[in-house]
């Protein structure tokens, strides 16, 4: 069955995760149901559309023969990631090749956004997160004799694990496009500013000119204009998204140097900005900017004289004497409080706003619970799909908290996501493929990174190349070395090289074929290879029990640090292995890391 790896839904081969919530049901045949998601895998991202839920991918051919289980299957990356395929009742009806269209091809090193729209037997498939833009629509197929009672959608896979993220369903009015239903031609954009053969309207030309003049000083004003315009233009959506991306990537500068323009942004625009994945600054800075925006005239209705505060960390006193406008709590819910340190959360608890806002109290309690919950088998027992409720003007707000638990990934870095133990998504494998541009080679042999053991390399069992290879090593250990204080240390170290810095969120170990199982150790990181910081410690950890076993553990260290990008990582034994033939050996067949990789040009 499907498993949750943090905010990522991992679907094992031939399984299916059915979307059974009320917001996912395809209940109205008169509207377009748009399923948006991000996916990561080598092939066969599969969507099942059925009248009833519950079947698995391998059961699809069998259950489709019965009337109550008939439906459609949409496969992105079919035939070794070379085409999109649509099936009806387990019979192939439509195939469209994706060779030459990189946007519609899957990637093993990164999540890619896709969408699928279903409406009364018509299926559209495209890339990105804006199905209203016909340029993102890759293929269209319409069933002449459609099923009339399709109700449920499921996320599935074929012969490999597939990771899904940011899954959501939109129910929108029927979207008309200029597509001939009697042909298999893909829809094309009816308006292309860069083409001289198309006739552009005045609004199109104005929007294009605005797009070329986005700066720190102008971006907020452009957003206010776009927010007030009708949103039925393709250029409108493109310019709006570009401005939101620009503000997110320069969030601290925009919110501080151009704060008067920033304060005038509407709550729905600011909510999109705060939710953005590419904000590079600390989460406390985001929270303070939201508070400053909330304390402006545009966010509050005057209820008394203002008393300015002297400390920038204090909640503005006028926050408590002004009435929050509708939408402010939604912006507050978008702040990722679980990524703050405990000290920062305690500072917020001591503010007057905390005592007055039930929404803020719920959010802080959720974040503190996340910090307090112990790790069990490498996971946090808190369900990341917890929902925090608040009441604004008598209306109940319900916000999905999944995004609040995700680390932000600034632009310019690659997010290496753990899908399952033993996958090929780690940083060592990524560097070994030269950033997924060529076939894998051992990165140590190619000189792309270095592996060092506490004991010198030998034919007897210490082979640095084996630690980052994809093959099982029967014996591969790091023996003890005398430290500066006279003690003996055993460790394996990876040097990612001068061009690479990693903010590690998870790491994986694979035991070799010996009986020397690790029990007490820590993962340390360093910028220069001299000063080491402990990311996570293990005491009497009984996880590794079998020869060749994989195991992985999450890392929270970076949540409390402003800059936690490191070049060197090592597994250091802290106590001798209990009841082992060689108690001072760190015996590993593989060591790899996951997280946000920054490549320095």
């Amino acid at each position: 069955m499907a498993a949750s790896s943090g905010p990522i839904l991992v679907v094992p081969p031939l399984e299916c995760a059915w979307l059974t919530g009320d917001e996912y049901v395809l209940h109205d045949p008169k509207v377009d149901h748009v399923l948006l998601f991000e996916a990561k895998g080598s092939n066969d991202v599969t969507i099942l559309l059925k009248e009833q839920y519950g079947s698995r991918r391998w059961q699809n051919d069998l259950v489709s023969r019965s009337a109550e289980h008939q439906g459609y299957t949409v496969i992105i990356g079919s035939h070794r990631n070379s085409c999109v395929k649509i099936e009806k009742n387990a019979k192939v009806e439509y195939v469209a090749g994706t060779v030459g269209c990189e946007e519609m091809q899957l990637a093993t090193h990164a999540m890619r956004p896709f969408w699928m729209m279903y409406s009364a037997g018509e299926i559209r498939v495209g890339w990105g997160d804006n199905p209203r833009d016909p340029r993102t629509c890759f293929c269209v197929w319409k069933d002449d004799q459609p099923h009339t009672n399709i109700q449920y959608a499921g996320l599935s896979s074929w012969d490999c694990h597939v990771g899904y993220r940011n899954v959501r369903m939109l129910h929108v009015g029927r979207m008309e496009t200029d597509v001939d239903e009697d042909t298999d031609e893909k829809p094309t954009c009816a308006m292309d500013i860069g083409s001289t053969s198309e006739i552009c309207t005045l609004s199109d030309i104005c929007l294009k000119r605005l797009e070329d003049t986005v700066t720190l000083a102008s971006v907020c004003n452009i957003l206010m204009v776009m927010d007030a315009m009708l949103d039925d233009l393709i250029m409108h959506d493109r310019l709006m998204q570009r401005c939101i991306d620009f503000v997110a990537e320069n969030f601290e500068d925009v919110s501080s140097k151009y704060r008067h323009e920033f304060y005038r942004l509407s709550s729905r625009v600011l909510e999109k900005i705060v939710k953005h994945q590419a904000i590079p600054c600390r989460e406390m800075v985001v929270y303070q900017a939201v508070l400053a925006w909330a304390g402006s005239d545009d966010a509050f209705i005057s209820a008394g004289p203002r008393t300015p505060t002297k400390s920038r960390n204090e909640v503005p006193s006028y926050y408590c004497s002004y009435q929050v406008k509708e939408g402010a709590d939604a912006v507050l819910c978008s702040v990722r409080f679980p990524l703050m340190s405990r000290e920062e959360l305690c500072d917020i608890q001591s503010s007057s706003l905390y005592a007055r806002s039930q929404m803020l109290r719920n959010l802080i309690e959720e974040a503190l619970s996340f910090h307090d919950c112990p790790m069990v088998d490498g996971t946090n027992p808190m369900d990341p799909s917890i929902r925090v409720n608040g009441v604004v003007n008598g209306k109940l707000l319900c916000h999905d908290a999944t995004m609040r638990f995700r680390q932000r990934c600034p632009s310019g870095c690659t997010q290496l996501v753990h899908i399952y133990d033993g996958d090929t998504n780690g940083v060592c494998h990524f560097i070994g493929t030269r950033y997924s541009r060529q076939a894998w080679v051992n990165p140590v042999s190619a000189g792309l990174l270095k592996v060092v053991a506490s004991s010198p390399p030998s034919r007897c069992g210490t082979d640095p190349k084996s630690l980052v290879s994809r093959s099982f090593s029967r014996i591969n250990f790091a023996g003890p070395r005398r430290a500066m204080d006279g003690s003996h240390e055993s460790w394996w170290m990876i040097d990612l090289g001068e061009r690479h810095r990693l903010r590690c969120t998870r790491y994986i170990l694979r035991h070799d074929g010996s009986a020397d199982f690790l029990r007490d150790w820590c993962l340390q990181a360093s910028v220069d290879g001299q000063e080491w910081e402990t990311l996570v410690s293990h005491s009497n950890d009984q996880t590794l029990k079998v020869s060749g076993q994989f195991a992985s553990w999450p890392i929270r260290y970076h949540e409390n640090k402003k800059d936690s990008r490191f070049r060197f990582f090592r597994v250091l034994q802290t106590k001798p292995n209990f009841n082992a033939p060689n108690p001072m050996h760190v015996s590993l067949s593989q060591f790899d890391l996951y997280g946000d990789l920054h490549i320095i040009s």
Side-chain angles (χ1 to χ4, degrees):
M1 57 188 301
S4 176
S5 177
I8 298 175
L9 177 68
V10 179
V11 181
L14 304 177
E15 297 288 346
C16 183
W18 288 97
L19 308 176
T20 57
D22 293 339
E23 64 271 27
Y24 295 107
V25 177
L26 287 64
H27 52 81
D28 190 352
K30 297 180 181 180
V31 302
D32 293 333
H33 306 283
V34 184
L35 180 65
L36 300 101
F37 58 91
E38 296 177 31
K40 181 178 185 293
S42 58
N43 56 269
D44 290 85
V45 168
T46 306
I47 305 165
L48 303 182
L49 300 173
K50 298 284 186 180
E51 298 179 7
Q52 295 183 6
Y53 63 87
S55 64
R56 299 180 180 178
R57 180 68 178 91
W58 64 271
Q59 296 172 316
N60 195 41
D61 293 351
L62 298 177
V63 300
S64 291
R65 299 173 185 173
S66 59
E68 65 272 17
H69 285 290
Q70 292 182 350
Y72 305 98
T73 302
V74 180
I75 306 174
I76 301 174
S78 182
H79 291 78
R80 297 185 178 181
N81 199 18
S82 64
C83 66
V84 173
K85 184 168 65 175
I86 300 176
E87 300 176 355
K88 177 184 179 182
N89 303 339
K91 180 181 178 182
V92 177
E93 298 287 348
Y94 179 86
V95 178
T98 59
V99 177
C101 183
E102 184 179 356
E103 294 88 350
M104 282 304 299
Q105 292 185 325
L106 303 177
T108 58
H109 63 279
M111 289 280 184
R112 285 192 172 175
F114 300 98
W115 57 266
M116 187 280 305
M117 185 188 74
Y118 176 79
S119 177
E122 182 177 285
I123 296 177
R124 298 173 182 265
V125 183
W127 68 86
D129 56 4
N130 184 15
R132 297 172 50 199
D133 187 348
R135 291 171 298 181
T136 67
C137 184
F138 178 75
C139 61
V140 181
W141 175 76
K142 187 169 184 179
D143 188 3
D144 294 333
Q145 297 178 339
H147 293 295
T148 59
N149 195 29
I150 296 296
Q151 295 287 319
Y152 299 100
L155 304 176
S156 185
S157 61
W158 182 239
D159 60 350
C160 65
H161 288 73
V162 174
Y164 294 92
R165 185 175 67 185
N166 292 344
V167 181
R168 55 204 187 279
M169 181 77 76
L170 303 180
H171 308 281
V172 298
R174 192 63 55 84
M175 293 189 290
E176 301 294 340
T177 56
D178 300 331
V179 179
D180 188 352
E181 298 178 356
D182 296 332
T183 67
D184 292 333
E185 294 182 0
K186 294 180 293 183
T188 57
C189 180
M191 177 271 298
D192 185 359
I193 298 299
S195 174
T196 58
S197 61
E198 300 290 345
I199 299 176
C200 301
T201 64
L202 178 60
S203 61
D204 296 337
I205 297 174
C206 295
L207 290 172
K208 182 63 172 63
R209 181 61 59 87
L210 285 173
E211 186 179 13
D212 295 335
T213 59
V214 174
T215 63
L216 289 174
S218 66
V219 63
C220 289
N221 290 326
I222 295 176
L223 278 172
M224 283 185 286
V225 173
M226 301 303 298
D227 192 32
M229 291 178 61
L230 296 176
D231 58 357
D232 57 350
L233 299 174
I234 302 302
M235 276 296 300
H236 174 280
D237 295 335
R238 191 172 75 183
L239 178 57
M240 175 71 80
Q241 189 58 49
R242 177 178 174 180
C243 291
I244 290 175
D245 294 343
F246 187 88
V247 175
E249 294 169 3
N250 302 274
F251 186 86
E252 193 165 6
D253 288 338
V254 174
S255 61
S256 58
K257 296 179 181 179
Y258 301 94
R259 56 183 180 273
H260 297 296
E261 293 82 0
F262 180 80
Y263 294 161
R264 295 167 61 191
L265 294 176
S266 68
S267 60
R268 74 168 185 170
V269 171
L270 186 58
E271 182 181 359
K272 293 179 180 179
I273 295 172
V274 176
K275 284 182 176 180
H276 204 284
Q277 187 69 5
I279 294 180
C281 56
R282 294 169 56 243
E283 206 63 29
M284 192 63 177
V285 175
V286 178
Y287 171 70
Q288 291 172 344
V290 171
L291 282 188
W293 168 85
S296 65
D297 284 328
D298 291 319
F300 284 77
I301 301 173
S302 178
R306 296 190 175 196
T307 304
T309 55
K310 297 181 180 180
S311 174
R312 61 175 297 183
N313 293 325
E314 292 180 8
V315 177
S317 58
Y318 49 81
Y319 190 100
C320 302
S321 60
Y322 281 65
Q323 179 183 356
V324 185
K325 74 170 183 179
E326 186 175 2
D329 273 347
V331 179
L332 194 64
C333 274
S334 302
V335 179
R336 305 185 184 187
F337 292 98
L339 305 188
M340 294 184 183
S341 67
R342 178 176 292 277
E343 291 74 17
E344 291 172 332
L345 294 173
C346 292
D347 288 342
I348 296 176
Q349 279 186 309
S350 62
S351 66
S352 57
L353 174 61
Y354 180 83
R356 298 178 61 90
S357 173
Q358 179 63 45
M359 174 67 77
L360 183 60
R361 289 198 296 272
N362 290 342
L363 292 167
I364 298 302
E365 289 171 6
E366 175 193 71
L368 289 174
S369 298
F370 178 76
H371 282 271
D372 293 338
C373 283
M375 292 292 179
V376 180
D377 296 330
T379 60
N380 190 302
M382 279 192 66
D383 183 358
S385 63
I386 283 179
R387 296 175 181 270
V388 178
N389 297 327
V391 177
V392 177
N393 296 334
K395 298 180 180 180
L396 182 66
L397 298 181
C398 189
H399 298 276
D400 193 354
T402 300
M403 291 294 295
R404 285 198 293 275
F405 292 87
R406 282 184 58 191
Q407 282 290 331
R408 299 188 191 271
C409 183
S411 60
C413 73
T414 301
Q415 195 170 37
L416 303 173
V417 181
H418 171 269
I419 298 297
Y420 63 93
D421 293 349
D423 62 15
T424 57
N425 300 327
V427 63
C428 295
H429 188 276
F430 184 66
I431 294 175
T433 60
R434 294 186 184 272
Y435 319 135
S436 296
R437 292 198 295 259
Q438 68 175 32
W440 179 87
V441 296
N442 190 300
V444 174
S445 301
L448 302 176
L449 56 78
K450 297 180 181 179
V451 175
V452 181
S454 53
S455 56
S458 69
R459 297 181 180 179
C460 300
T462 303
D463 185 5
K465 296 190 301 295
S466 297
L467 196 70
V468 293
S469 69
R470 298 183 295 177
S471 58
F472 171 69
S473 300
R474 190 174 64 86
I475 297 177
N476 194 39
F477 64 86
R481 171 185 290 190
R482 187 178 182 86
M484 297 295 294
D485 58 0
S487 61
H488 290 81
E489 295 179 343
S490 299
W491 44 261
W492 281 105
M493 183 187 73
I494 293 179
D495 176 8
L496 298 179
E498 295 182 357
R499 293 190 60 201
H500 303 130
R501 298 293 184 272
L502 180 71
R503 184 177 69 174
C504 188
T505 58
R506 197 175 190 93
Y507 76 105
I508 186 172
L509 301 178
R510 187 184 189 187
H511 189 66
D512 66 1
S514 70
D516 304 318
F517 298 101
L518 270 178
R519 292 294 176 258
D520 297 271
W521 78 95
C522 64
L523 177 69
Q524 294 184 327
S526 173
V527 175
D528 55 8
Q530 302 297 323
E531 300 292 331
W532 294 91
E533 298 187 48
T534 299
L535 305 187
V536 61
S537 298
H538 301 264
S539 179
N540 193 27
D541 193 318
Q542 303 286 327
T543 303
L544 295 172
K545 302 177 181 178
V546 183
S547 297
Q549 176 187 352
F550 287 98
S552 65
W553 296 266
I555 298 172
R556 288 194 192 163
Y557 170 88
H558 53 273
E559 297 171 1
N560 304 334
K561 298 292 182 178
K562 182 177 181 179
D563 190 358
S564 54
R565 295 177 289 180
F566 301 99
R567 170 180 170 179
F568 301 87
F569 295 86
R570 72 176 181 178
V571 175
L572 173 67
Q573 186 186 50
T574 55
K575 290 182 182 179
N577 301 323
F578 177 73
N579 199 24
N582 301 284
M584 292 298 294
H585 282 186
V586 178
S587 300
L588 296 175
S589 178
Q590 185 174 337
F591 174 28
D592 212 340
L593 306 134
Y594 302 84
D596 300 331
L597 178 65
H598 298 253
I599 302 175
I600 303 172
S601 59

